[in-house]
Amino acid sequence: MFEIIKSGGWMMWPLIICSIGAMGIIVERFWSLQKNKVVPAELVPQVWKLSREEKIDSVLLHRLRTNSPLGAVLAAGLSHRHLGRDVMKECIEEAGRKVVHELERFLNPLGTIATISPLLGLLGTVFGMIDIFSSLMQHGSGDPSVLAGGISVALITTAAGLVIGIPSLIFHRYFERLVDEYVVDMESEALRLVDILQGDREEEELDEISA
């Protein structure tokens, strides 16, 4: 592996940095975007039970905000539950935008790595080809096997860039899709709770969920 890196030239070092960054982001996002951490299944029934028992206070709202992204969205609505349905929805939407921003953390850098890695690899190959043809101009063609070997070495950076870029792009698209699904789930759960608290839905609906 070290010989391959050494053969690729100095352009391999930016590619190595990109690979380390992509791996770190992928591992961190897999850990942070677990469903039980983002949209806990039992949270809405618990909140509704506490609300029905009139146990919602500032301490509970603070705990709810730090519980999960869904908890932050629900807390935004519950803290304005006495101001009507429209105000609750506006607060939920505002909190939702902040939550989405947090869920998408590091996805832009991952997308950037997926885009620039193949380009860096291609740039390294271009530099390698320039060196090869410069050497040919100075010393002549000589042995064709030397030329073929030089070209294969120059192509190492392109291969490395693709090896880094393709998985990065796949995981970037996967995490984007996962965040979109979580956002839809959070909006649905929050609006359902708003409807129940404001009397637009029957309480039995949430009782069926918690059963």
Side-chain angles (χ1 to χ4, degrees):
M1 181 63 69
F2 179 76
E3 289 300 322
I4 293 175
I5 295 173
K6 185 178 178 181
S7 299
W10 66 270
M11 189 57 74
M12 289 295 290
W13 294 108
L15 289 170
I16 292 173
I17 294 172
C18 286
S19 67
I20 295 173
M23 182 61 68
I25 292 171
I26 290 169
V27 171
E28 190 277 337
R29 288 292 85 190
F30 265 120
W31 175 260
S32 298
L33 294 179
Q34 297 178 58
K35 188 170 185 178
N36 62 334
K37 291 186 176 182
V38 180
V39 190
E42 74 285 351
L43 186 60
V44 173
Q46 289 177 356
V47 169
W48 168 238
K49 181 180 178 181
L50 293 171
S51 177
R52 188 164 49 184
E53 295 172 355
E54 298 184 354
K55 293 182 179 179
I56 302 294
D57 54 22
S58 58
V59 175
L60 188 138
L61 289 175
H62 176 72
R63 289 172 53 191
L64 194 59
R65 289 189 187 96
T66 57
N67 173 272
S68 63
L70 176 59
V73 172
L74 296 178
L78 288 170
S79 60
H80 298 85
R81 63 190 181 279
H82 302 302
L83 301 178
R85 188 177 189 276
D86 292 339
V87 175
M88 287 184 70
K89 287 188 63 177
E90 289 178 3
C91 295
I92 285 173
E93 291 172 356
E94 182 179 351
R97 286 191 290 270
K98 295 179 181 178
V99 166
V100 170
H101 180 73
E102 181 65 21
L103 293 178
E104 292 179 342
R105 186 175 58 172
F106 302 135
L107 293 191
N108 279 340
L110 183 60
T112 301
I113 291 172
T115 302
I116 68 171
S117 293
L119 297 178
L120 289 174
L122 181 59
L123 182 61
T125 295
V126 170
F127 286 149
M129 297 297 289
I130 291 173
D131 290 339
I132 291 171
F133 286 111
S134 296
S135 178
L136 287 176
M137 290 176 63
Q138 294 176 7
H139 307 290
S141 59
D143 188 355
S145 63
V146 175
L147 177 61
I151 293 174
S152 67
V153 169
L155 291 174
I156 288 175
T157 55
T158 295
L162 292 173
V163 168
I164 298 168
I166 292 172
S168 298
L169 180 60
I170 291 172
F171 282 110
H172 180 260
R173 295 290 177 85
Y174 169 75
F175 289 132
E176 279 190 333
R177 178 63 180 174
L178 191 63
V179 169
D180 289 340
E181 291 178 358
Y182 286 155
V183 170
V184 171
D185 290 343
M186 285 189 291
E187 287 180 351
S188 176
E189 295 288 357
L191 292 178
R192 179 162 50 186
L193 183 61
V194 170
D195 289 341
I196 293 174
L197 289 175
Q198 297 299 322
D200 295 333
R201 294 192 187 187
E202 295 296 328
E203 296 181 6
E204 286 76 7
E205 288 190 30
L206 204 63
D207 291 337
E208 292 175 1
I209 299 174
S210 58

